[in-house]
Amino acid sequence: MEHLSYSTRTAFHSLMKEKWINLLSSLTVAASLLVSAMAIITIFNLENFTRTLPERFTMVVYLQDSVSPEDTQKLIGQLKNKDYVSGTKYISRDQALNEMKRTLKDVSNVLEGLDENPLSSSIELKLKKESVTAPAVKKISEELKKMPSVGDVYYEAKIAETVYLLKTSIENMSIIILCIISFVVLFVISSTVKILLYRRKTEIEIIKLLGATGGFIRAPFLIEGGVIGFFGGIFASIGATVFYYSLTTSFSAFMPILKTMVLPVEIVVLLPIAGLVMGVIGSLISVGRLRL
Amino acid sequence: MISFQNATKYYENKPVLKNIDLSVSKGEMVFLTGPTGAGKSTLLKLLYASELPDEGEVTVGDFNIGRLRPAEIPLLRRSIGVVFQDFKLLENLTVYDNIALALRVRGRKEKDIKGLVLEILKNVHLRHKSDNYPLTLSGGEQQRVVIARAMVSEPSVLLADEPTGNLDPDTSKHVARLFYEANIHGTTILIATHNREMYKNTGKRVVRLENGVLLGEEIG
């Protein structure tokens, strides 16, 4: 405890003494964290958006014309039991025709002269979210086509592909961005601590001669790195909040979709913590190399 | 307590200490004399592992300097108080904090530190300068701060490199008295000095070193 109190005082003394270099480091860390915060906010909102896409996805199973009502009920029952199906809706041939008439009411002459209903009855399937991926949907469609009574299966392939593509590219992008930013933050903090170590070379030598252990010498630098990172995180949180409000107010005039953006509150809290942790790790990288 | 057995130290392939055989018993006070460049400071540096012997053995208490593991170096240094010739005071710390640092590295509690530091400051007549920074002090005052820092932890071994080098005769006598008092309390002391007055008529061993070779010893 005594040791910690001394290390903290020494760290804060040094932080104040070298305030400009430390402020500059904090701002550099803030800039890096802000980039990652902006990326996370974008990813979060894109994820939100893609999450709603599966809900809009429908797969239509067209029945063969010869299917009896009993077989239709049997098929509906079988489909309901599939673990990837979240809902079914039966549309009879008459309902389909009425729907078509409603849709084409402005060009109703198109349907004139039809002696009989050319449409098939169908079952609309809603799939579970996790099943709305391009490969899964393709597999399901092939499986359904093989079922008795099924004439054909139709689905909007693009929605499934878009969901799949967006999700995978968002995940990959977020991993790449977070790796780059983590590297930048660690580099900035370890470089700053290296400069501080160099400036305090003589001081460290003297403390070593007095019998200080490695931990005693390193602790203030770890605290300094942590504080630089923490303040970097706070600046980044402020920046992220300003970024969010700018997007949802000023910029939404040009792109109304921005109004629907959400600021994940966790990020405002997590940025200073991430800065603190990275600051300590960055310092560890530098002081770990210190020959004691 | 302190022992050199055939110890040799080279700097750039030139021997600065040659086949040193010297022992200082527990509780003894020994003076090391000789001209500038004789190797006195190097001999002291071997004792606090700032330098390592190239040949022979150097021991301080249970520590064999040539075979120290890195983790043992702080332990050795905590058992020793050193008065450095170039002071080695931290300019950004006050007199109080410079002295307290010697106790803090030893993990002493702040409430104990205050009493010990103020007491030693009184002994070296610098109580009124506790809040000053080293650069605002005279050479003599800085030297007394260094002595206070070396003594405050009551180490079992005290090493001093020209401890009266910057002091006027009166202060020198006062400082010498501090060393004798520590010695009376059982501290083993090795002092490298030019100052004959410090060891004259003391009845203590005086070892003479020249060109890295021990020439012999006499009683002061």
Side-chain angles (χ1 to χ4, degrees):
Chain A
M1 204 59 204
E2 298 295 330
H3 178 178
L4 190 66
S5 138
Y6 165 77
S7 301
T8 311
R9 273 186 290 130
T10 307
F12 279 91
H13 186 271
S14 167
L15 280 165
M16 290 315 292
K17 194 182 166 203
E18 309 279 359
K19 54 183 171 291
W20 296 116
I21 184 175
N22 290 327
L23 182 66
L24 196 65
S25 304
S26 264
L27 290 174
T28 318
V29 170
S32 313
L33 288 175
L34 183 59
V35 172
S36 61
M38 282 155 61
I40 291 168
I41 292 172
T42 312
I43 288 163
F44 179 83
N45 281 281
L46 271 173
E47 279 258 347
N48 264 354
F49 175 68
T50 57
R51 216 172 289 145
T52 63
L53 286 180
E55 287 159 17
R56 299 178 203 170
F57 181 81
T58 310
M59 186 174 258
V60 185
V61 177
Y62 289 101
L63 307 183
Q64 290 167 358
D65 290 342
S66 55
V67 177
S68 65
E70 292 77 24
D71 287 341
T72 304
Q73 284 311 312
K74 200 175 150 192
L75 180 66
I76 291 172
Q78 283 173 336
L79 291 172
K80 276 183 178 166
N81 286 335
K82 298 279 181 193
D83 53 6
Y84 47 78
V85 173
S86 64
T88 57
K89 184 184 171 192
Y90 174 72
I91 298 165
S92 67
R93 297 177 66 192
D94 293 340
Q95 280 173 322
L97 186 63
N98 287 339
E99 178 65 26
M100 183 181 259
K101 281 179 180 167
R102 220 179 8 255
T103 313
L104 302 175
K105 68 176 178 213
D106 297 334
V107 281
S108 54
N109 54 335
V110 173
L111 299 171
E112 278 173 14
L114 280 177
D115 292 335
E116 58 179 87
N117 185 350
L119 301 176
S120 304
S121 50
S122 63
I123 303 165
E124 268 185 24
L125 295 184
K126 286 278 179 196
L127 300 186
K128 285 183 180 162
K129 275 182 193 175
E130 61 274 17
S131 300
V132 186
T133 64
V137 164
K138 199 177 171 196
K139 207 174 144 198
I140 292 169
S141 152
E142 278 159 13
E143 184 191 326
L144 295 177
K145 276 180 190 170
K146 285 177 197 157
M147 290 176 82
S149 316
V150 173
D152 200 2
V153 175
Y154 172 82
Y155 63 93
E156 189 65 70
K158 274 206 167 162
I159 290 187
E161 277 165 23
T162 311
V163 172
Y164 184 68
L165 263 172
L166 268 174
K167 270 199 167 173
T168 47
S169 41
I170 285 167
E171 277 164 12
N172 292 340
M173 205 168 75
S174 53
I175 291 169
I176 293 168
I177 288 175
L178 290 178
C179 284
I180 294 172
I181 296 301
S182 303
F183 177 77
V184 169
V185 171
L186 291 181
F187 179 77
V188 168
I189 292 181
S190 70
S191 303
T192 308
V193 170
K194 222 179 277 177
I195 295 169
L196 296 175
L197 281 171
Y198 183 76
R199 289 195 179 196
R200 283 160 60 186
K201 211 167 111 187
T202 316
E203 190 181 326
I204 291 170
E205 274 308 310
I206 295 171
I207 299 171
K208 272 160 68 180
L209 288 174
L210 294 178
T213 56
F216 188 92
I217 295 168
R218 288 184 177 113
F221 292 101
L222 298 185
I223 294 171
E224 274 182 69
V227 171
I228 291 170
F230 181 72
F231 276 99
I234 287 183
F235 295 146
S237 284
I238 295 168
T241 312
V242 171
F243 166 74
Y244 168 74
Y245 282 108
S246 308
L247 281 185
T248 50
T249 53
S250 314
F251 289 96
S252 62
F254 308 106
M255 279 180 81
I257 196 170
L258 293 176
K259 264 193 179 160
T260 61
M261 276 186 81
V262 178
L263 174 70
V265 184
E266 297 89 338
I267 203 167
V268 181
V269 181
L270 281 177
L271 278 173
I273 297 171
L276 177 94
V277 172
M278 286 190 187
V280 174
I281 296 172
S283 298
L284 262 176
I285 292 170
S286 285
V287 295
R289 291 190 194 134
L290 198 63
R291 283 190 64 203
L292 297 168
Chain B
M1 189 74 192
I2 293 174
S3 159
F4 289 82
Q5 288 173 31
N6 218 18
T8 299
K9 176 71 192 170
Y10 295 95
Y11 278 149
E12 294 169 352
N13 295 325
K14 286 182 190 159
V16 285
L17 289 175
K18 291 175 227 165
N19 305 319
I20 301 291
D21 278 307
L22 173 70
S23 61
V24 179
S25 306
K26 193 173 178 200
E28 200 180 359
M29 183 172 185
V30 174
F31 291 91
L32 186 63
T33 66
T36 308
K40 303 189 294 293
S41 297
T42 307
L43 191 144
L44 294 183
K45 281 180 181 173
L46 288 175
L47 293 173
Y48 55 86
S50 180
E51 298 286 354
L52 299 177
D54 294 311
E55 290 166 18
E57 291 216 330
V58 179
T59 56
V60 178
D62 296 330
F63 297 100
N64 185 326
I65 305 299
R67 292 184 203 156
L68 282 178
R69 283 179 286 134
E72 288 176 321
I73 295 176
L75 301 177
L76 163 79
R77 290 176 177 166
R78 286 185 212 172
S79 68
I80 298 174
V82 184
V83 178
F84 301 98
Q85 190 173 16
D86 57 351
F87 303 157
K88 297 199 188 298
L89 289 170
L90 296 174
E91 292 169 9
N92 58 332
L93 296 187
T94 61
V95 165
Y96 176 93
D97 281 325
N98 262 287
I99 298 169
L101 190 57
L103 296 167
R104 286 178 180 138
V105 299
R106 287 165 172 84
R108 299 289 291 266
K109 289 192 162 56
E110 284 300 323
K111 59 174 187 200
D112 300 336
I113 289 173
K114 193 172 181 186
L116 290 165
V117 174
L118 293 180
E119 191 186 330
I120 197 90
L121 275 172
K122 203 170 93 187
N123 288 345
V124 294
H125 299 167
L126 284 174
R127 175 70 185 81
H128 60 296
K129 300 271 185 177
S130 69
D131 293 331
N132 284 47
Y133 286 89
L135 293 180
T136 65
L137 304 178
S138 69
E141 286 171 331
Q142 289 185 42
Q143 185 118 33
R144 280 184 280 155
V145 176
V146 181
I147 292 166
R149 185 181 63 186
M151 289 182 170
V152 71
S153 60
E154 297 177 345
S156 54
V157 176
L158 198 53
L159 307 174
D161 197 355
E162 300 292 355
T164 57
N166 292 287
L167 304 180
D168 58 65
D170 281 347
T171 318
S172 289
K173 274 181 199 164
H174 173 67
V175 164
R177 203 158 46 241
L178 291 172
F179 282 107
Y180 287 117
E181 276 169 18
N183 183 236
I184 288 166
H185 288 100
T187 310
T188 308
I189 301 177
L190 182 58
I191 300 174
T193 182
H194 281 109
N195 187 355
R196 267 184 72 82
E197 293 302 316
M198 206 170 172
Y199 54 83
K200 203 170 75 181
N201 301 324
T202 56
K204 304 288 183 191
R205 278 168 69 203
V206 180
V207 178
R208 186 159 179 82
L209 189 69
E210 240 180 80
N211 294 323
V213 178
L214 275 184
L215 293 182
E217 61 181 67
E218 56 184 340
I219 299 297

